[in-house]
Amino acid sequence: MWTIYLGLTGLAAANPQVVGLGNYTGALEDPRFLTSLWLTVLYVGGSAIIGQAGLGFTLAGILRTRTGPVRRLVEGVVLLSWIPPSTVVGFLWFALLDRDEGTLNALLHTPGFAWLLDHPLLSIIIFDVWRGTAFSMMLYAAALENVPPAHLETARLADAGVLQQPRDVVFPASAATS
């Protein structure tokens, strides 16, 4: 409620004046706001929806049927991205993407290429996906443990494809147990 009140009043803190929807219409007409809104949609779509949720669910689904050292290795590598503090991870990514001394430029033989300056949104999305996939994978793995294997086997016998199994079996079974 407080945010709505602030949006409907002017900027004067001592004597706020009600300006109605003027602040909102002004924001919608401002090209900088529309640009920031578009960048936010790209970031959330690329990082949270496609990246973290998609990759986390895919990894959890693939690892669900695996056992032994391969599963433990993949889980360990994915979880290693989540364990270090954010400041350490930020420094590591900066060292990887640095223009002059960056590891990625050394590997690709592209000295002077400024990944963070030339492709900032893509760099941040990749960093965020790398950092957040572990948590998504753990959540989806826990949810997938509640899906009875017999349901998936029945779907396979009914010729349900790779995309139909999550839609018709996994998601309804996960929703029913939550």
Side-chain angles (χ1 to χ4, degrees), residues 98-177:
D98 186 39
R99 176 192 313 221
D100 300 321
E101 305 285 330
T103 307
L104 190 58
N105 283 338
L107 290 173
L108 298 177
H109 304 294
T110 55
F113 191 78
W115 296 95
L116 291 172
L117 296 175
D118 294 339
H119 306 288
L121 184 62
L122 181 61
S123 298
I124 292 170
I125 288 173
I126 290 171
F127 163 76
D128 199 44
V129 168
W130 178 79
R131 182 83 167 143
T133 297
F135 186 70
S136 297
M137 182 188 77
M138 289 188 307
L139 286 177
Y140 288 125
L144 288 174
E145 291 297 321
N146 292 326
V147 177
H151 291 186
L152 290 171
E153 185 62 30
T154 302
R156 274 188 226 107
L157 291 173
D159 289 332
V162 175
L163 297 177
Q164 287 83 21
Q165 289 177 23
R167 183 192 69 202
D168 297 337
V169 178
V170 174
F171 295 144
S174 297
T177 59

Side-chain angles (χ1 to χ4, degrees), residues 16 35 37 52-53 90-91 116 127 143 157 161:
T35 301
L37 182 64
Q52 292 179 28
F91 176 75
L116 291 172
F127 163 76
L157 291 173

Side-chain angles (χ1 to χ4, degrees), residues 43-83:
Y43 173 73
V44 170
S47 174
I49 297 171
I50 296 171
Q52 292 179 28
L55 185 58
F57 182 76
T58 302
L59 285 172
I62 290 170
L63 293 178
R64 182 178 192 269
T65 59
R66 306 290 190 269
T67 58
V70 173
R71 178 179 178 160
R72 288 191 299 273
L73 177 70
V74 172
E75 286 175 339
V77 168
V78 172
L79 287 174
L80 277 175
S81 68
W82 195 44
I83 294 171

